[in-house]
Amino acid sequence: MRNRRARLLIPLLALVAALFAVPAPASASTATTVAMYQTSYGGDDADIYYPSGASDLPVALLLQGAKVDRSYYAQYASAIAAQGFVVVVPNHYRLMFVETERYAAEHQVTRTVTWMKDEKYNSSSPLYKRIDSGKLVLLGHSFGGAAGLAAAEDTCSLVFCPALSFSLPSQVKAASFYGTNNGFLGIFADIDNKVPVQLVQGTADGIAPQSDAEKTYSHLLNTPRQIVRVAGVNHYGITDVQSPSPAESETSAQSLTQSESIEVAARWAGRFLLAQLGDAGAADYVWNIGDASDPGVTVTGAP
């Protein structure tokens, strides 16, 4: 049920120009305008970003980092949407560590499947008959990425599964997580991922270190899998600002500007997800030519 809706166009300007300054997959547009509205579903308020005029759109659910408000992902979500996705960014509050705060959970995935089916046939929605309700991909930041990893493994992990049950919907096709690892007290368990998984990691991350992401990547059991290392970027490389309050503060500085780090991270995440949905140009980029044309990025992967 919607409690508010404010349709507004979000000009991407320099962000979108930068996004497509490098070779683009065949499905990408060089002049994409992204629109946004606000809604609520499953008890969560959410921001919805989508490319104006496009149809048959897959949905990308962005699982927020711990205590990071959805509003801080506006630029990143817009950059993903510009590549051909409906991007859903909910605020999910729940009891965690003796406080009720914004913490992602696995059941957001199944709730989003329900929402996308309903929204497709909601005649009052800007996305009426424009959603491909059979295709959902996952994005995640930090804690949200860890919740997404558990979901991608089709397991109910106690920390991320307060509903005490979870079954990975068939609509989920791939996942890309930023600043994410599955380390717990120095232990990194194997991840029997049921869908392709990409990790995007800043080399200057002072909260979720690169070394932990590397160990997590090594424990992904199934292909396709990929880790993208972005030089000089820290834990908040995809948020609109550094250390968005009240989230944990980052002490490691970025050498890239915020708009630069968002552009790089969104480009690699979006193209990896497009590749898993059958985009040949995106696949060529993420597996063959992308790292050679991007001097700040190194990639390891298995298609």
Side-chain angles (χ1 to χ4, degrees), residues 144-163:
L149 275 175
E153 196 175 10
D154 196 15
T155 60
C156 181
S157 174
L158 183 61
V159 174
F160 309 113
C161 189

Side-chain angles (χ1 to χ4, degrees), residues 232-249:
V233 174
N234 67 17
H235 195 65
Y236 294 109
I238 66 168
T239 53
D240 291 358
V241 299
Q242 283 288 299
S243 300
S245 179
E248 182 179 354
S249 295

Side-chain angles (χ1 to χ4, degrees), residues 221-235:
L221 297 182
N222 304 313
T223 59
R225 59 178 179 265
Q226 184 179 72
I227 182 168
V228 178
R229 310 166 190 88
V230 186
V233 174
N234 67 17
H235 195 65

